[in-house]
């Protein structure tokens, strides 16, 4: 097994996506340990769930504000998924615990693909994708933390926009057409009602009246990246201390789905007993699907194309 200097390890492995830009804000404790093993260092397993579950990495309590500040800056280097993942992984790598070297060996730039809901496809938001990705390799209550984060993203008006949070993460940094900073009152808030990128951005654009290619969208997404990183760490810290409970208004189970899953749940039906499409999802159904009694009439815009009202 090859041993390398800690500084070399960070430069060669963790720093693919803007190490030079981020070095100024990283703690000097990043370089405190010498001799991190690199060959085979991570050891989290590649032979399926049982192997992975036997090699989970240790989570240690992090400062949510430090992670959020890191994530806000990282968004500008690699987008939303990279921002959340890079912030949590690198903050774990500088804590000086037994798994610090393992976290330092993770190439965080592998998450850049997640921006724009996976390379612009508008599917799962890169922020929650990243949160689930890091939680998946940690020895914590994985399902509970992921459920809590996804439901928070789905149900909470974002970005949070309070002065204390913005000051601590160093926001805002982007400006409107007149050259003025894009303050919270300009950015506005919206509720995604989904964990999908396109739904989240569409609802925000309608609320803020900014176009999706404006710098305001980048500022908004950078702040959401910071907020998701912040909340993920809060949930992880609670899990670590055995105190993770879900706000009743952010329930892990969407009660509005009850009527839907009475017919559309996962079953073992075969063709002779099949009555309707099975669904496997915890997302709020009626965000995208109207109840049956509301969809009898043809929508008034059925003969139009998407681009009629939503030109690029």
């Amino acid at each position: 097994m090859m041993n390398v200097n800690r500084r070399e390890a960070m430069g060669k492995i963790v720093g693919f996506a803007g190490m030079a830009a981020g070095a100024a804000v990283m703690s000097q404790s990043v370089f405190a340990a010498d001799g991190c093993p690199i060959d085979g260092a991570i050891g989290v397993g590649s032979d399926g769930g049982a192997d992975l579950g036997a090699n989970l990495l240790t989570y240690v309590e992090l400062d949510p504000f430090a992670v959020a500040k890191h994530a806000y800056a990282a968004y500008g280097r690699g987008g939303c998924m990279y921002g959340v993942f890079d912030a949590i992984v690198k903050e774990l790598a500088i804590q000086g615990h037994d798994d610090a070297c393992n976290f330092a060996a993770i190439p965080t730039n592998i998450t850049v693909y997640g921006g724009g809901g996976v390379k612009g496809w508008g599917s799962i938001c890169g922020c929650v994708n990243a949160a689930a990705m890091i939680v998946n390799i940690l020895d914590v209550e994985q399902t509970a933390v992921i459920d809590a984060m996804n439901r928070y993203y789905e149900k909470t008006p974002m970005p949070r926009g309070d002065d204390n949070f913005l000051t601590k993460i160093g926001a805002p940094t982007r400006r409107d057409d007149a050259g003025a900073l894009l303050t919270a009152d300009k950015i506005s808030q919206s509720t995604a009602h989904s964990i999908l990128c396109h739904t989240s951005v569409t609802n925000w654009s309608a609320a803020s009246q900014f176009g999706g290619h404006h710098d305001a969208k980048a500022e908004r997404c950078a702040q959401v990246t910071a907020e998701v990183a912040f909340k993920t760490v809060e949930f992880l810290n609670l899990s670590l201390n055995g105190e993770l409970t879900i706000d009743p208004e952010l329930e892990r189970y969407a009660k509005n789905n009850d009527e839907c899953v009475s017919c559309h749940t996962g079953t073992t039906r075969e063709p002779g007993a099949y009555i309707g499409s099975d669904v496997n999802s915890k997302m709020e159904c009626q965000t995208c699907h109207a109840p049956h009694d509301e969809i009898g009439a043809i929508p008034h815009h059925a003969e139009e194309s998407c681009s009629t009202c939503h030109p690029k």
Side-chain angles (χ1 to χ4, degrees):
M1 185 172 291
M2 176 180 66
N3 288 333
V4 299
N5 176 274
R6 181 70 163 177
R7 184 180 296 272
E8 292 175 359
M10 294 299 291
K12 293 179 180 178
I13 295 178
V14 180
F16 294 154
M19 179 62 184
V25 299
M26 295 179 69
S27 167
Q28 289 302 310
S29 60
V30 170
F31 310 117
D34 289 326
C36 268
I38 297 305
D39 293 345
I42 300 176
V44 295
S46 58
D47 295 322
D51 185 50
L52 175 61
N55 292 280
L56 295 171
L57 301 182
T58 301
Y59 176 76
V60 295
E61 189 165 332
L62 297 177
D63 176 359
F65 282 109
V67 174
K69 182 176 182 178
H70 187 138
Y72 177 79
Y75 172 85
R77 301 196 302 273
C80 54
M81 186 173 182
Y82 171 79
V84 172
F85 192 77
D86 184 73
I88 297 175
V89 168
K90 286 185 179 174
E91 290 296 325
L92 284 168
I94 66 176
Q95 298 306 310
H97 58 104
D98 289 345
D99 275 328
C101 287
N102 290 327
F103 288 112
I106 297 174
T108 58
N109 63 314
I110 61 175
T111 58
V112 172
Y113 77 89
V118 183
K119 291 294 185 183
W121 276 78
S123 60
I124 183 172
C125 171
C127 295
V128 292
N129 198 351
M133 186 174 180
I134 183 60
V135 170
N136 185 57
I137 62 173
L138 300 178
D139 188 13
V140 295
E141 302 169 282
Q142 294 183 356
T143 300
V145 174
I146 292 170
D147 282 355
M149 189 62 254
N150 283 0
R151 196 66 75 197
Y152 179 91
Y153 185 97
E154 187 183 63
K155 295 291 188 182
T156 306
M158 293 190 292
R160 57 190 291 169
D162 62 88
D163 290 340
N164 180 55
F165 185 77
L166 293 178
T167 297
K168 288 189 174 182
I169 68 172
T173 56
R174 297 163 182 86
R175 299 176 181 272
D176 63 17
D177 292 346
L181 284 171
L182 287 160
T183 51
D185 58 314
K186 296 176 182 177
I187 291 294
S188 190
Q189 288 182 321
S190 61
T191 304
H193 296 296
S194 171
I195 61 170
L196 300 180
C197 171
H198 78 272
T199 308
S200 178
V201 172
T202 297
N203 290 349
W204 169 79
S205 186
S208 68
Q209 300 289 288
F210 279 108
H213 286 183
H214 194 282
D215 276 355
K217 187 266 184 185
E219 182 61 38
R220 175 262 182 186
C221 287
Q223 291 184 25
V224 169
T225 297
E227 185 169 348
V228 169
F230 181 93
K231 291 302 298 185
T232 301
V233 167
E234 277 201 333
F235 291 137
L236 284 168
N237 288 347
L238 289 170
S239 175
L240 185 66
N241 296 318
E243 300 172 350
L244 180 58
T245 56
I246 308 300
D247 185 325
E249 295 184 4
L250 303 174
E251 72 275 3
R252 288 170 57 188
Y253 175 74
K255 295 178 181 178
N256 290 342
N257 289 356
D258 284 342
E259 183 177 354
C260 306
V261 299
S262 63
C263 294
H264 300 285
T265 190
T267 70
T268 58
R269 295 186 189 112
E270 293 191 5
Y274 182 84
I275 61 172
S277 54
D278 281 12
V279 175
N280 182 27
S281 176
K282 295 179 183 179
M283 287 192 291
E284 187 86 53
C285 298
Q286 294 181 21
T287 295
C288 300
H289 301 280
H292 291 314
D293 59 1
E294 294 182 11
I295 60 175
I298 297 175
H300 69 86
H301 57 278
E303 296 180 359
E304 305 290 345
S305 68
C306 299
S307 60
T308 301
C309 297
H310 304 283
K312 191 169 182 178

